[in-house]
Amino acid sequence: MPYIKGADRNQITLMPDCMEDYISAENPVRVIDAFVEQLNIAPLGFKTEPAVEGRPGYDPRDMIKLYIYGYLNKIRSSRRLQTEAGRNVELMWLLGKLVPDFRCIADFRKDNANAIKGVFREFVKLCNKADLLSKEAVVIDGSKFRAVNSDNNCYVKSNVEKLIAQADDKIAKYMAELDAADKTERRSGELTSENIGEVLNYLAKRKIQLENALSELNENGLNHVCTTDRESRLMKTRDGCKPSFNVQTAVEPNNHIIVNFDVTSDCADWGLLESGISGAKDVLGVETLEGIADKGYGNDEEILKCLLNGDTPTIYLNKNQNCRTFKFAKMDDEITSEMLVSNDYETLKKCIATGVLPDILKRSDVTFEIVPTATPQQFLDKETGEIVSYEQVKAKGGTEREKLKLRLETPVQSYFERNLTSDTVICPMGQTLFYAGIGWPNGKANSGKRRYHRASVCAKCRNKCTVGKQRIVSFKADETRKYTDFYDKCGTGRITRRKERRFIPIDVPKHEVVVMKYYPNQRKLRIRNQIVEHPYGTVKRWNDGYYLLVKGRVKAAAELALSFLGYNFKRVLNLLGTKKMLEMITA
């Protein structure tokens, strides 16, 4: 049975008369063309007026179409885009057979960075207008994208000094070899003077690079510096610490469309929650929004900002906790009705600290109470008259103790005996103690405790059971005997006393603390992974977008805007199809 054979290359064929016949009605390039044509590119920042003199430039719309098509089809390189424009039938139709030079393509992305990010936002607004986006919640997460900076051009302060010392050692070693090569006859396989000279030149240049990097680190007070892309930072990735950018995205939960993103130089997500939610609110056009994120965003200050903005930060709680607790030192200040409805962060914090809950926090998942709290103990320094803390007393030796060598006789008994009839107490040495009033444990009167002492007897006692001037013993209401181990401790040398007696404890007034608790909805956290991780995986794996092609945060944002626009475009195309998507754009 013969195989299927292709057409004869010498066969004369009648090709379609126009390019329109090559593109079917369901082809996605028609959607790209319709979307770009309806854009008002002047407010986005693109140059809309052609130059009067010189060679005419390309229409920005054609360049936008070229880039959207490229990122939709895994083509990010300007050289590859130039190649495809000259041989790809779809691009011929889309651009009208224009073939821009690769430098012109690359410069367009570089020179219109902010405007390209605006194109991404316009598509998100189009999706929002078509009711494809949830306006109740977004899922926020960050991912590291490799910057245009090699590992050799990234200098860490702790390692630079070691590398400079290693370079000095190698230079000394090769200089010695160079001297030896000049004095002795060269053998086969050994380095020649020319080879050693090349190595020395390389080491000298490398040492200069290291010294310049160390000088920059010291001048700016930095821990590390990336010399190729200075806005990138060393960040922890799956491949180790690499020069990268931390890219933040907000993904809506219904159709998994990226509604907003930001490129940052922050190595962690710790302080980026509030900005992520605020950016998503601006795009969606809502006043309040729920932001779902992982533990990396668990910064209490950021969570409080979101709550005071009226948003709902749904973040994983710490282990064995069911809420987030915020504590404020109680203040006495006047609060007006205008302050309670204010949008100012510090004003709202002041309202909370005075014990008045602002209107924005009157919600079911927030509780509010004022509780008393113990204050740190303070002491009076008798020598200087200063009020000092326990830590200061400890630093000055006020807590150090010394052992006492006491030689005491065996007591008559090892306990205090109370006579309920006469309401007196017999001490271990057989002396009688009298009632001295009720007990005051922890500064509060307790009628259930009765105290006994007798100062005149203790002053004359040579075998007394205390190192103080007198012994005061307390009994409960029905207690008749209380044992003492003072004499046993004396026999084993366990009696101590403070060395320094210049510090006297003083009474400190108790304070109140305003405690606010926030209870996030933990069930919504179960959907986080399956929503926000999918776009990153698609962009990085499907589109080879785990590394960047341009330098700087602004230009990196332009490239990622194209990557995320390509993801959103394909996502909506899969949800609606070509026909409905064209209707959405032209509506």
Side-chain angles (χ1 to χ4, degrees), residues 291-307:
I292 305 171
D294 58 20
K295 281 186 178 180
Y297 294 86
N299 184 343
D300 286 344
E301 188 73 15
E302 287 288 303
I303 294 174
L304 181 61
K305 285 182 180 179
C306 294
L307 290 171

Side-chain angles (χ1 to χ4, degrees), residues 149-187:
N149 198 107
S150 69
D151 295 345
N152 289 336
N153 289 332
C154 190
Y155 303 94
V156 181
K157 189 173 183 180
S158 59
N159 291 337
V160 171
E161 296 176 352
K162 297 178 183 178
L163 293 174
I164 292 175
Q166 291 176 5
D168 289 333
D169 293 340
K170 290 181 179 179
I171 290 173
K173 175 183 175 181
Y174 281 109
M175 287 295 293
E177 290 189 14
L178 185 62
D179 293 337
D182 292 337
K183 295 178 182 179
T184 59
E185 184 178 351
R186 182 177 64 85
R187 297 178 182 177

Side-chain angles (χ1 to χ4, degrees), residues 325-422:
T325 304
F326 305 91
K327 294 182 179 181
F328 304 85
K330 181 71 167 59
M331 296 171 52
D332 293 327
D333 207 339
E334 183 179 355
I335 300 298
T336 63
S337 57
E338 290 79 7
M339 295 173 66
L340 293 175
V341 296
S342 172
N343 294 326
D344 182 64
Y345 175 67
E346 294 299 331
T347 301
L348 293 176
K349 281 183 65 176
K350 185 177 180 180
C351 293
I352 299 173
T354 54
V356 182
L357 193 65
D359 293 350
I360 199 71
L361 291 179
K362 292 179 179 179
R363 41 195 289 179
S364 60
D365 53 2
V366 173
T367 62
F368 185 77
E369 62 178 337
I370 302 173
V371 297
T373 181
T375 55
Q377 191 176 10
Q378 294 183 343
F379 299 82
L380 173 65
D381 189 337
K382 293 190 293 184
E383 293 185 1
T384 63
E386 296 178 342
I387 304 298
V388 295
S389 64
Y390 176 78
E391 287 74 17
Q392 292 172 310
V393 171
K394 188 175 181 180
K396 295 179 181 180
T399 60
E400 295 181 2
R401 305 185 70 87
E402 59 181 351
K403 290 184 178 181
L404 297 178
K405 296 181 179 180
L406 299 176
R407 296 182 180 180
L408 300 179
E409 301 175 2
T410 303
V412 177
Q413 57 192 31
S414 60
Y415 51 84
F416 292 86
E417 185 75 28
R418 179 186 175 197
N419 190 324
L420 297 176
T421 303
S422 61

